[in-house]
Amino acid sequence: MNASVNAPKLYDCRDAFAATLERLATENEKVVAVCNDSVGSSKLGGFRSKFPERLINVGIAEQNMVGVGAGLANGGHLPYVCGASPFLTGRSLEQIKADISYSNANVKLVGISSGMAYGELGPTHHSIEDFAWTRVLPNLPVIAPCDRIETAAAVEWAATYDGPCFLRLSRVGVPDLLAEGHKFKLGKANLLREGSDVTLIANGTLTHRMLKAAEILTERGIGARVLNFATVRPIDEDAIIAAANETGAIVTAEEHSIFGGLGSAVAEVVVDNAPVPMKRLGVPGVYAPTGSAEFLLDEFGMAPSAIADAAQALIRRK
């Protein structure tokens, strides 16, 4: 039988974002969208059709876009500021720092096509630094949902949160991992699989790969705990400390540089509270070559089999 017959259906998290935003706008006239000539890539076409006066397209002017978002928030609106993550964050970091984070403006920053989703367009379009740039800023929760269900829950949560946040969304298809009706809780990890020999931690597009790696480890007689860390800041310290104490080894994987992102956030907690062997998987401090996101993740050792091998090697150091 062809393996693809039993393959899970994959979903684009941008669709869940767009559908949820449209519903929120229907319920709340203060919801507005701001984008950088990215109506298509941000999936805002439906929003524009339904609420043309509430979509502001500033063109390719990301710094101005963030400022417009801050102004709208100061005027009592609820802006979702959307753009390709490498440009929303990289080009606008000063404005995000001063106008959003320092001012504690009620702006929801939405980084679209994060990680290496624009793989074929090369390093200028890869967004493998955005965790590091955003998680260092005070007042700015950093969130990377693992599937369409968590994306919808996080977008809805953001509308109720009184303050700024950064939502990091990919365009790479991922399967459903969480149950319908899941409620997002800031700073809380989701336990996806029990295990006592090693803990696998991921978020975003890497979460389902971690689950596949855990299945491979089970076949090898190794029990892997799998945790989904949608919130990078504030990080769930209790879950990390428990994982360190109860499994004695931690592997992280992320569609990001190994410097400054999820792995670094976990390592900071581990070294301060419960030192155990760790392995951080990600882009190892280089510019990723040109290629599809799936190819690049495999190239940097994040195929499920490679993750399982890394975990097994780490266990030997316990």
Side-chain angles (χ1 to χ4, degrees):
M1 180 181 293
N2 190 328
S4 63
V5 172
N6 297 317
K9 185 174 182 180
L10 303 181
Y11 298 92
D12 186 335
C13 291
R14 296 177 300 167
D15 292 324
F17 158 71
T20 306
L21 187 63
E22 289 173 29
R23 177 174 58 78
L24 291 172
T26 300
E27 298 168 354
N28 183 354
E29 64 181 10
K30 295 184 180 298
V31 172
V32 296
V34 187
C35 70
N36 58 339
D37 205 20
S38 60
V39 172
S41 61
S42 296
K43 299 277 190 170
L44 292 173
F47 189 99
R48 179 175 59 185
S49 296
K50 294 177 181 178
F51 313 104
E53 75 287 356
R54 289 156 65 183
L55 173 68
I56 301 173
N57 186 351
V58 304
I60 303 176
E62 288 79 8
Q63 294 172 337
N64 183 41
M65 177 175 68
V66 172
V68 168
L72 287 166
N74 289 339
H77 295 282
L78 183 58
Y80 283 76
V81 175
C82 312
S85 196
F87 311 128
L88 171 62
T89 58
R91 290 179 181 167
S92 310
L93 191 57
E94 181 181 358
Q95 284 70 32
I96 293 173
K97 175 183 176 181
D99 298 343
I100 307 298
S101 169
Y102 176 72
S103 302
N104 203 30
N106 192 27
V107 175
K108 319 307 171 181
L109 301 169
V110 186
I112 301 292
S113 303
S114 60
M116 296 176 288
Y118 282 135
E120 294 87 349
L121 298 180
T124 58
H125 285 62
H126 297 165
S127 191
I128 57 174
E129 310 88 3
D130 50 3
F131 279 154
W133 288 337
T134 54
R135 83 175 185 93
V136 74
L137 297 175
N139 304 321
L140 188 69
V142 177
I143 301 160
C146 70
D147 66 2
R148 67 180 179 97
I149 295 168
E150 190 167 39
T151 297
V155 173
E156 185 168 4
W157 166 86
T160 67
Y161 179 71
D162 186 17
C165 63
F166 173 60
L167 299 174
R168 186 189 200 247
L169 308 181
S170 181
R171 66 194 296 140
V172 176
V174 292
D176 285 346
L177 301 178
L178 303 178
E180 292 284 359
H182 170 77
K183 298 298 183 182
F184 177 79
K185 295 181 180 179
L186 182 68
K188 293 297 181 183
N190 305 124
L191 175 64
L192 301 184
R193 189 181 180 110
E194 292 281 5
S196 58
D197 297 319
V198 64
T199 298
L200 309 181
I201 293 176
N203 60 21
T205 55
L206 266 298
T207 309
H208 76 99
R209 286 178 172 239
M210 283 299 212
L211 282 167
K212 290 180 180 178
E215 293 173 2
I216 294 170
L217 289 169
T218 296
E219 295 172 356
R220 300 177 184 177
I222 297 170
R225 177 180 303 183
V226 180
L227 293 172
N228 168 46
F229 268 70
T231 308
V232 178
R233 177 173 180 161
I235 200 80
D236 189 342
E237 295 191 5
D238 290 341
I240 296 168
I241 294 169
N245 289 332
E246 295 168 9
T247 70
I250 295 175
V251 178
T252 62
E254 58 195 307
E255 195 176 358
H256 189 273
S257 169
I258 61 170
F259 301 107
L262 175 63
S264 295
V266 172
E268 290 160 11
V269 176
V270 168
V271 74
D272 283 347
N273 297 279
V276 295
M278 270 195 68
K279 178 64 177 179
R280 292 172 297 130
L281 299 175
V283 182
V286 299
Y287 290 111
T290 300
S292 71
E294 297 291 336
F295 165 79
L296 292 172
L297 289 174
D298 290 351
E299 186 74 5
F300 287 119
M302 289 179 281
S305 59
I307 295 171
D309 290 343
Q312 193 165 6
L314 187 67
I315 291 171
R316 300 190 189 104
R317 292 172 46 196
K318 290 170 62 173

